[in-house]
Amino acid sequence: MPIFTRHIPVLTALALAACALGGCSSQKLSAGLADTIPAWAGGLPADAPPRAGTPEYDKFMQERERKRLMPAAERGDGAKPAAPAQSATQ
């Protein structure tokens, strides 16, 4: 069993290094990196709203509230009632 006992210190050192590197990450770093992932690789889609707490988010929410208060005919966002589905037995 001398081979097994040589692996214990190596595995312990690797586990310690992995835990130490895991503590180096931060929320700001991970949020910034998550924003750089392309949509095709599972990142944010192009039409995703901005993150909360940014000036862009405040502008987005003001515009959203302004559109909400407008009459539906003036919005121009293309929201139309769905057409009734045709029956499959024709």
Side-chain angles (χ1 to χ4, degrees):
M1 295 279 178
I3 295 175
F4 179 74
T5 56
R6 273 190 292 179
H7 290 287
I8 291 176
V10 173
L11 292 175
T12 304
L14 287 174
L16 182 64
C19 291
L21 286 176
C24 292
S25 67
S26 67
Q27 279 188 326
K28 289 183 180 181
L29 178 66
S30 62
L33 288 176
D35 290 343
T36 61
I37 298 173
W40 60 266
L44 289 173
D47 61 347
R51 290 199 181 270
T54 62
E56 294 85 16
Y57 180 77
D58 295 335
K59 290 177 188 174
F60 172 77
M61 292 305 288
Q62 287 174 353
E63 179 66 20
R64 188 173 173 185
E65 182 66 17
R66 186 186 67 77
K67 282 188 176 182
R68 187 184 71 83
L69 295 174
M70 290 175 67
E74 296 177 10
R75 286 186 197 153
D77 58 0
K80 297 179 181 174
Q86 295 180 354
S87 63
T89 57
Q90 288 185 357

